[in-house]
Structures are given as structure tokens and as C-alpha cells.
Amino acid sequence: MRQQDLLDDYRNDLLGVFGDPTLVLTEGKGCFVTDTDGRTYLDLLGGIAVNALGHGHAAWTEAISHQAGRLGHVSNFFTTPEQLRLARKLLEITGAPDGAKAFFTNSGTEANEAALKLVRSHGNSADPRKIRLLALKHGFHGRSTGALAVTSKEAYRAPFEPLPGGVEFIDPTVDALEHAMDEDVAGLILEPIQGEAGVHPLPEGFLEAARRLTKDNGALLVVDEVQTGMGRTGQWLASQGTLSGELVPDVVTLAKSLGGGFPIGAMLAMTPDATDVLGPGKHGTTFGGNPLAMAAGLATIQAIEDEDLLENARTMGRRLRDGLRAIDGVVDVRGNGLLIGFDLENSNSVEGPLGPKAVSAARERGFIINATGPSTLRLAPPLIIEGTHVDAFLEALPAILEAAHDA
């Protein structure tokens, strides 16, 4: 069928919560994907920071195929060697202290829901007055009602009010945090880099202040590494190096790149204040920790290690950011590793905001990118991206921006 016919079927048969898709993709290899019309695109979005190993990675494909032939699902009355191995591996690579524990989910939103339940339960048991949750303005933590309650964007929240209460949004500044923190706060949730907001790292010193203030006031610190974790920024966690040693968060949430494209999430309870909160019967999930997801996670981590993809993320990320800064019309390049945001000058074209126009112009030239706002573009390519791919995009970008301006 023609691509347009398939897009019409989408409109007829699927709930339109994502709007109309622009492509029908049929296959991928490495950093490239192909649509039903046979056109190939360099994927610089990576499924929104998901496809860490690109598409069709041999070891990843083999691990899932092998596991599917052995055992696909068991209930949570049981465990599997794959679940135990992935839990241990995650705790090791994230620098979790002795006694830390993992809980597996199917997505980042579910991992954050588990974290929020943990925070609430901790607050209720520690002191009935601990009823406040702090979250950051411009933060994003998911679309389910609990995760949405700590997501600040009004357009996401308004249609579903009233959401679970007790949440206060503060500016991502140390002064605002010091002013808001008190002994009645149960927890603080934050992203080390606010991805959906346009890839904005937290100010220098904020994470250390957050750890100090939460600990001093008996609150839990939840670090949402759903988008930033698993090598995306050139290290296993974006917060590593800042929050390490004695300055570890109480909870870390992961997803996206963790499965390399297979649905999986995880919540890591890192400190004694977090590990003993959710006992038997307090939380659960049918599919969380299933053998297929565990095999995908193990294969993804193994490939990142074997192929030195943390270093590649750092090297290719620098190459991208340096190249972007040299292009006329690109301003304020941000991010770490292969999570990059940048703004465009003169954000309005003839017919509207320049960001979405640039996305369309890039797609016409064979590149998949993402606009997070009227003038902001985001890149989150596979960690396997090569210099030739980076250079091809940088060479094409001036023409992409010119076409966007003329649209």
C-alpha cells in the first residue's frame, strides 16, 4: 500500500493522541530507518532517546530471539536468572551502595509512579505532616495521573484536573529550593537535564543542594534519569560524578535506552530510607521484569560496554555541539553526550514557528529530528552514531534552516 493510504488507515483506526504521524516506517539498520515508499532517513532522534544501539543490532536481536525461544513470561510469583542478572548489573554500573535494590517496570512513567508511591509511603510512615511533594517547573515525568501531577506543563495537566494533590512547582534554582524545603516535604523529584523542556541542564550546584536539603529535612530525593540515563550523556547516569559516594539520591528511575528499543523501566532504591518502604503487597506489575525485557536490557548494557559507546557518546556529542555552534542561525547549544538541544534565531517563519518547519525540512532531506518548542530542536541519536553521520547532518543543516525560513 502507498504510504498515504496507510496514514489514512491510522487516522481511521487509531486514537489520535499523538496527532497524525508523518511517516510509516518499515525497517531500520544501524542509524537509518526506511519508510514504505523506500526512502531512507538518518535517525537523529533514536525513538526519543530509546534506540541506544540503533536498529537491528545483531547482539540485541539475538538475545531477544534466544530468550523468546526459552521463556517469554512468568508471573511475579517467580523470578528468572535474567531478572537477577539485570538487577545486579544496574546496581553495579550506577554506583549504587551496598543494600540498594531494583524494581522493574514497563516504562519510565511506571518507574516514576513507583517512585512517587515510595515517597508517599515514606512520608506517611515518617511523619503524617510530610504531605508536600516538590517538583521543578519545566519538568516532565510522564502522562499517567501520578506522574502528570509532578509534570509542570499546563497544557498536559489542564484537561485532567484535579490531579493528585500536594505538589508544588518551584524554579530550578538553589534559592527557590532553599525557600521551599522544610520538614513537611516528603520528597523532591527532578531531571538532571530537562529533556522535554528543550535539553536544559540544572544549574551548577543544584543537585548537591538538593541532596543536602532533602537529607537535612528527612525528604527523599528522586532523580528521574529516564531520558538521560543508560549512556545517553556519556556516562551511565547524568547525575554520576555529581551525586556519588555519600551523595547518592534515594531513588533513580530509568527507561528509554535501558532496553535498546524493548519496553522496560526500572526504579532503583539506593539508600536505606528507600529500600524498606515498599514491602509485599504495596506495589506490583504484571509484565515488569519479564524475561524478554531483561534479556534486552542485558544485551544493551553488554553492547554499550563492548563497543565503548559511553566514549562514543562523549566524542560524537562534542562533535555535534561544536559543529552546531559554527552554523549561522543556531544559538544556545546545550546538553551532554548525545542529548542535545539548540535554539534557532528568528523563530518565526512566514507561516509559523521555525522549529516545526525545520523538522519538516530536515525530513525532506533525509534526517529525523525533533522540535520541543517553537524555536528549539532536540537531537538524541543512537549511541552508535559515527562521525560521517554527524558531518552529513551538519553539512545539510544550513540548507534545512534556509528552507524552514522560506516555508
Side-chain angles (χ1 to χ4, degrees):
M1 293 180 66
R2 294 186 312 114
Q3 184 156 231
Q4 189 55 55
D5 293 333
L6 293 169
L7 292 173
D8 290 340
D9 287 346
Y10 183 97
R11 295 186 192 96
N12 291 332
D13 298 336
L14 280 91
L15 197 64
V17 295
F18 301 111
D20 289 340
T22 54
L23 298 171
V24 180
L25 300 177
T26 57
E27 59 184 306
K29 188 65 177 177
C31 291
F32 293 88
V33 291
T34 303
D35 68 14
T36 52
D37 291 340
R39 292 196 62 191
T40 298
Y41 307 83
L42 178 60
D43 183 3
L44 295 173
L45 186 57
I48 313 182
V50 168
N51 297 101
L53 306 180
H55 305 275
H57 189 280
W60 182 86
T61 302
E62 171 60 25
I64 295 174
S65 300
H66 177 73
Q67 185 61 50
R70 289 171 50 85
L71 190 65
H73 175 76
V74 298
S75 78
N76 288 313
F77 293 123
F78 314 102
T79 189
T80 63
E82 293 75 24
Q83 186 180 76
L84 299 174
R85 287 171 53 208
L86 184 56
R88 173 44 47 195
K89 189 64 176 179
L90 280 178
L91 296 174
E92 289 174 355
I93 64 176
T94 58
D98 291 343
K101 298 179 181 180
F103 174 79
F104 290 111
T105 67
N106 305 294
S107 68
T109 294
E110 290 182 42
N112 285 333
E113 289 281 353
L116 292 171
K117 286 181 69 175
L118 190 154
V119 168
R120 280 295 188 208
S121 183
H122 167 79
N124 290 339
S125 61
D127 186 338
R129 294 171 296 178
K130 283 188 171 295
I131 59 173
R132 297 168 61 211
L133 291 177
L134 300 182
L136 302 187
K137 293 178 181 178
H138 315 300
F140 179 86
H141 301 287
R143 301 281 195 151
S144 56
T145 53
L148 190 57
V150 292
T151 293
S152 69
K153 190 172 181 177
E154 184 64 21
Y156 292 163
R157 298 168 53 85
F160 310 106
E161 298 282 1
L163 294 166
V167 179
E168 299 175 29
F169 294 102
I170 63 173
D171 290 322
T173 67
V174 174
D175 286 345
L177 181 59
E178 289 178 338
H179 181 76
M181 186 62 67
D182 207 338
E183 292 183 354
D184 61 355
V185 173
L188 164 67
I189 186 169
L190 56 83
E191 304 159 276
I193 301 174
Q194 295 184 318
E196 291 296 313
V199 190
H200 288 275
L202 294 179
E204 186 174 352
F206 188 92
L207 282 171
E208 296 94 328
R211 177 66 287 186
R212 172 176 54 84
L213 289 166
T214 49
K215 184 172 290 188
D216 289 349
N217 288 276
L220 297 186
L221 174 61
V222 179
V223 178
D224 178 344
E225 296 253 16
V226 167
Q227 187 164 169
T228 55
M230 301 311 299
R232 175 57 46 190
T233 64
Q235 49 192 359
W236 290 114
L237 300 177
S239 57
Q240 273 178 322
T242 301
L243 293 181
S244 59
E246 296 182 359
L247 294 177
V248 297
D250 296 294
V251 179
V252 171
T253 56
L254 299 165
K256 288 191 179 286
S257 291
L258 172 56
F262 200 95
I264 182 177
M267 179 190 71
L268 307 182
M270 305 283 272
T271 67
D273 286 335
T275 54
D276 295 329
V277 175
L278 296 179
K282 282 194 171 182
H283 195 55
T285 170
T286 295
F287 294 105
N290 73 83
L292 284 174
M294 301 298 96
L298 286 165
T300 301
I301 293 172
Q302 190 66 54
I304 291 173
E305 292 181 328
D306 290 347
E307 299 174 30
D308 201 13
L309 296 184
L310 297 183
E311 176 60 30
N312 194 63
R314 294 190 289 267
T315 301
M316 292 298 105
R318 283 192 298 269
R319 189 165 178 160
L320 262 171
R321 293 192 299 276
D322 290 346
L324 288 168
R325 292 187 179 104
I327 293 176
D328 289 340
V330 172
V331 297
D332 194 20
V333 180
R334 304 174 297 275
N336 291 315
L338 288 171
L339 181 60
I340 297 171
F342 59 98
D343 296 334
L344 305 177
E345 287 182 328
N346 303 320
S347 63
N348 288 325
S349 66
V350 174
E351 296 185 2
L354 190 59
K357 297 289 185 182
V359 171
S360 296
R363 188 171 61 250
E364 287 299 314
R365 287 158 177 80
F367 301 94
I368 294 177
I369 61 176
N370 170 237
T372 63
S375 62
T376 301
L377 299 177
R378 173 175 52 177
L379 306 176
L383 304 186
I384 63 169
I385 193 170
E386 300 175 4
T388 54
H389 304 145
V390 170
D391 294 345
F393 173 67
L394 293 173
E395 183 178 343
L397 187 54
I400 290 170
L401 298 183
E402 183 178 357
H405 276 287
D406 294 340

